[in-house]
């Protein structure tokens, strides 16, 4: 795990991160812990949360896991309360929990579409809403994990495109409503990230899917999880103290080429499945 940042940017701060049992959010949790933050990991799967927290403790950080589904506002609020009893008021809250599957809209039920809207968009609202009364507002930061699908209409991703676009408007609106409370609210929009559950789902055809996916990215590679974690760290640190209501894209230039190569690959993967 490497970082361009010096240690202790977040000394003594309490960061709550949803969906941090694996993938990008887990790496963000690890990175923040190494910068001195106390980490609360919230996710649906209690064992995954506990295991991720134990890994951070093994590295010398402070962390604990709290099980809750971001779709269930009351259970999520209870998990936030428990986390704050353990580590104090919230300085940083990252809404990272997400769901995805590859399907054409014509093959989706209303419940299938709603499930991703519920996890991603409603889950982000529930997360930030649960954090609000518990924030140490003098320096609080909210960060949503969006994706390039928010601005790149992508075949077989209608549910995700809609959910992520909604998240970004939510973030921009909260950045207006909650700034007077001392809260900054931003989002990151990654493209493909290596070694994540999302990419396993989005490149199901193995090497040939990857080759086609990478051909649609000017830098010809996916992001490393560390690169996403460093961006999250920057936005949640004092180094970004005047950045509010912004969505930072981190995609190696993918969105400048457009989504057609990505969408075509996903449609082909559905046909060959
Ligand atoms: N194509 C079409 N519909 C699908 C589908 C697919 N590939 N996968 C799931 N669905 C539908 C289900 O059929 C169901 O609809 P129905 O009730 O009309 O049959 C609906 O989506 C909900 O599925 P279910 O499995 O009950 O939801 P869940 O809450 O258990 O799981 C998911 C949520 C579907 C998003 C699941 O993929 C998940 O848990 N993902 C979390 C991890 C993840 O996606 N990580 C990557 C983040 S980028």
């Amino acid at each position: 795990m490497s970082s361009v940042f010096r240690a202790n940017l977040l000394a003594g701060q309490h960061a709550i991160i949803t969906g941090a049992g694996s993938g990008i959010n887990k790496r963000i949790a690890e990175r923040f812990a190494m910068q001195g933050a106390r980490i609360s990991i919230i996710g649906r799967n209690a064992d995954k949360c506990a295991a991720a927290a134990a890994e951070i403790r093994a590295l010398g950080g402070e962390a604990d896991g709290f099980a809750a589904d971001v779709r269930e506002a009351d259970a999520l609020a209870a998990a936030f309360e428990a986390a704050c009893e353990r580590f104090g008021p919230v300085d940083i809250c990252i809404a990272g929990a997400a769901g995805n599957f590859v399907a054409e809209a014509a093959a989706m039920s209303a419940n299938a579409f709603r499930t991703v809207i519920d996890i991603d968009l409603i889950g982000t609202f529930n997360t930030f809403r649960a954090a609000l009364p518990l924030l140490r507002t003098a320096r609080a930061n909210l960060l949503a994990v969006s994706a390039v699908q928010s601005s790149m209409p992508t075949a077989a991703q209608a549910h995700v495109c809609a959910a992520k676009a909604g998240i970004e408007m939510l973030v921009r609106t909260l950045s207006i409503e909650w700034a007077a409370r001392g809260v900054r609210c931003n989002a990151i929009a990654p493209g493909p990230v290596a070694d994540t559950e999302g990419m396993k789902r989005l490149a199901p055809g193995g090497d040939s899917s990857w080759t086609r996916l990478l051909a649609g990215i000017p830098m010809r590679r996916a992001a490393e999880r560390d690169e996403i974690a460093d961006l999250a760290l920057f936005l949640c640190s004092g180094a970004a103290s005047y950045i509010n209501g912004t969505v930072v894209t981190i995609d190696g230039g993918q969105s400048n080429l457009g989504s057609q190569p990505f969408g075509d690959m996903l449609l082909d993967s559905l046909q060959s499945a």
Side-chain angles (χ1 to χ4, degrees):
M1 212 189 307
S2 64
S3 174
V4 296
F5 291 94
R6 64 185 167 76
N8 287 325
L9 276 178
L10 306 178
Q13 297 193 36
H14 177 197
I16 298 188
I17 307 173
T18 67
S22 62
I24 296 174
N25 303 306
K26 178 166 180 263
R27 186 52 55 90
I28 292 173
E30 291 162 353
R31 169 72 78 251
F32 282 29
M34 293 308 102
Q35 294 286 335
R38 300 168 174 143
I39 307 296
S40 293
I41 291 174
I42 294 183
R44 263 191 298 176
N45 183 321
D47 290 342
K48 266 172 83 173
C49 293
E55 280 185 46
I56 289 174
R57 289 197 298 274
L59 291 168
E62 276 189 88
D64 212 340
F66 303 87
D69 189 322
V70 295
R71 291 173 282 191
E72 292 163 16
D74 290 346
L76 188 62
F80 268 74
E81 296 274 357
C84 290
E85 273 173 33
R86 176 96 168 78
F87 290 129
V90 183
D91 298 285
I92 295 168
C93 173
I94 299 186
N100 196 355
F101 52 83
V102 177
E104 287 187 74
M108 264 187 244
S109 65
N111 191 45
F113 189 83
R114 186 187 304 115
T115 297
V116 170
I117 299 289
D118 271 351
I119 298 171
D120 290 32
L121 177 54
I122 311 290
T124 298
F125 176 81
N126 289 342
T127 299
F128 291 164
R129 190 64 192 78
L132 186 66
L134 300 168
L135 293 173
R136 196 196 316 268
T137 49
R139 56 177 182 182
N141 276 293
L142 306 180
L143 186 72
V145 180
S146 180
V148 283
Q149 287 94 321
S150 62
S151 58
M152 287 199 327
T154 307
Q157 290 283 277
H159 46 343
V160 176
C161 293
K164 297 300 192 187
I167 286 173
E168 294 183 9
M169 282 307 286
L170 174 65
V171 160
R172 292 170 65 193
T173 306
L174 296 184
S175 76
I176 297 170
E177 289 193 14
W178 293 354
R181 298 169 184 254
V183 178
R184 292 194 292 115
C185 189
N186 293 295
I188 57 174
V193 184
D195 300 323
T196 59
E197 172 69 25
M199 283 323 300
K200 272 186 220 137
R201 287 165 188 254
L202 292 173
D207 287 351
S208 62
S209 296
W210 265 109
T211 304
R212 289 185 65 183
L213 182 61
L214 299 185
I217 301 173
M219 289 180 72
R220 300 285 185 261
R221 69 172 178 86
E224 300 296 328
R225 286 177 295 167
D226 281 332
E227 291 171 315
I228 309 298
D230 277 344
L231 175 60
L233 176 59
F234 166 68
L235 287 170
C236 292
S237 75
S241 54
Y242 200 59
I243 297 180
N244 183 36
T246 296
V247 180
V248 181
T249 299
I250 174 164
D251 68 347
Q254 182 189 24
S255 45
N256 292 320
L257 283 182
S259 62
Q260 190 150 354
F262 188 16
D264 285 349
M265 183 275 282
L266 293 178
L267 291 177
D268 287 349
S269 75
L270 284 173
Q271 275 161 16
S272 58

